[in-house]
Amino acid sequence: MTTSPNQKLYEGKAKILYSTGAANILLSVFKDDATAFNAQKRGTIQGKGAMNCTISSHLFRQLESAGIPTHFVGQLSENEMQVKAVTIIPIEVVIRNLAAGSLCKQTGLELGTLIAPPLVEFYYKNDELGDPLLTRDRLLLMKLATPDQVDQLANLALKINKILTDFFEDCGITLVDFKLEFGLDHTQQLILADEISPDTCRLWNQSETDPSRRVMDKDRFRNDLGEIESAYQLVMQRVLAHSI
Ligand code: UDP
């Protein structure tokens, strides 16, 4: 189906989706707006849209070349990405290699505790409910996905984690944890969607030992650590300098 171009279809916290006129292809425009704690904290990170779009585009290309199906079509400008249209599955898939964030708060595990094998968790993508942690049974009860799709989500998430952990290791960065979103394309294939950026990953600079200096991700914004733009910029420089 061909739609008329340049129609705003959806505006989220970090991106706006437009129609393109081409069948099953949309334009995702990355914004500088930043939110945290379920949008209770709001701000702007100068140049974030461009940096996240560029980082995500590069990571999607790496994943595609490693055989992971994604919604990435191409980067059109510094903050515009062409993507395949998908129906988003309203589940946030979180993968954890080291304990941080809500896992530490809810379990008492110490920040940085090694999690091996990595943990795969499902959260309900629903701001009104505060994105609650789901069990597999609840997820099936709510019919958010089929049992097959849940297995596929977990398998894909672990594969992506292996690829990205090795990739970031080459960049001198530890991939602590991250969030993925998946969707179904027009052929009903399950593909990786959304973005992979310092907004959605915890990334620690291996050249820094100080716990606040090593943070290269949105925790700098969440925890008022300052120097957010330069941290994102360093992630972008290192990511662009590496390929798998
Ligand atoms: N995350 C995300 N969007 C969300 C929730 C989490 O991108 O709505 C990412 C977050 O940046 C981190 C990982 O998922 O890399 C795990 O987040 P956690 O559950 O620890 O929640 P947080 O501490 O961020 O509230």
Side-chain angles (χ1 to χ4, degrees):
M1 192 186 71
T2 310
T3 51
S4 52
N6 307 322
Q7 299 221 31
K8 195 198 264 195
L9 303 177
Y10 173 80
E11 178 155 7
K13 285 174 274 190
K15 296 182 289 293
I16 307 176
L17 266 185
Y18 295 94
S19 61
T20 61
N24 304 309
I25 303 288
L26 303 180
L27 184 71
S28 179
V29 178
F30 285 60
K31 304 193 286 185
D32 288 350
D33 300 350
T35 61
F37 311 119
N38 205 9
Q40 285 171 45
K41 177 169 179 161
R42 288 171 184 276
T44 302
I45 301 172
Q46 210 62 47
K48 177 172 83 79
M51 292 189 280
N52 281 356
C53 182
T54 303
I55 292 166
S56 286
S57 295
H58 191 76
L59 293 177
F60 282 138
R61 269 188 227 106
Q62 305 309 305
L63 289 169
E64 284 278 353
S65 73
I68 303 291
T70 80
H71 73 157
F72 180 74
V73 176
Q75 188 177 3
L76 282 197
S77 76
E78 59 174 15
N79 69 334
E80 293 176 312
M81 188 192 286
Q82 258 192 338
V83 296
K84 293 175 195 159
V86 294
T87 306
I88 287 284
I89 296 177
I91 296 173
E92 300 193 336
V93 182
V94 168
I95 303 93
R96 301 181 186 274
N97 296 305
L98 298 180
S102 67
L103 181 69
C104 292
K105 275 194 212 111
Q106 292 168 9
T107 64
L109 276 174
E110 196 182 325
L111 178 68
T113 304
L114 180 67
I115 303 171
L119 204 56
V120 179
E121 298 177 331
F122 302 109
Y123 291 82
Y124 186 24
K125 188 174 153 64
N126 184 315
D127 285 340
E128 271 173 41
L129 297 176
D131 295 349
L133 178 63
L134 295 171
T135 61
R136 183 188 164 93
D137 286 346
R138 282 192 184 187
L139 190 157
L140 295 176
L141 174 75
M142 295 160 73
K143 296 194 170 24
L144 297 180
T146 64
D148 264 5
Q149 286 173 338
V150 181
D151 293 343
Q152 269 189 71
L153 287 175
N155 288 335
L156 271 171
L158 286 171
K159 258 195 207 167
I160 293 166
N161 183 45
K162 175 80 181 91
I163 297 163
L164 291 183
T165 302
D166 291 350
F167 176 84
F168 277 113
E169 194 65 33
D170 281 349
C171 301
I173 293 172
T174 301
L175 178 59
V176 175
D177 61 25
F178 60 107
K179 184 260 306 183
L180 298 173
E181 292 184 27
F182 294 85
L184 296 171
D185 69 8
H186 71 288
T187 68
Q188 298 304 300
Q189 195 199 358
L190 187 72
I191 64 177
L192 178 64
D194 195 48
E195 65 178 279
I196 308 174
S197 72
D199 271 12
T200 62
C201 302
R202 284 197 170 90
L203 302 167
W204 289 354
N205 187 349
Q206 294 174 354
S207 335
E208 299 280 358
T209 45
D210 183 273
S212 62
R213 291 198 59 81
R214 70 185 172 192
V215 174
M216 307 175 86
D217 55 67
K218 201 160 93 174
D219 273 351
R220 299 207 76 82
F221 171 73
R222 292 188 187 98
N223 303 329
D224 297 316
L225 298 176
E227 296 174 41
I228 309 171
E229 289 87 353
S230 54
Y232 277 51
Q233 214 147 25
L234 189 55
V235 172
M236 184 172 73
Q237 278 166 14
R238 291 206 196 164
V239 162
L240 291 184
H242 290 84
S243 297
I244 58 168

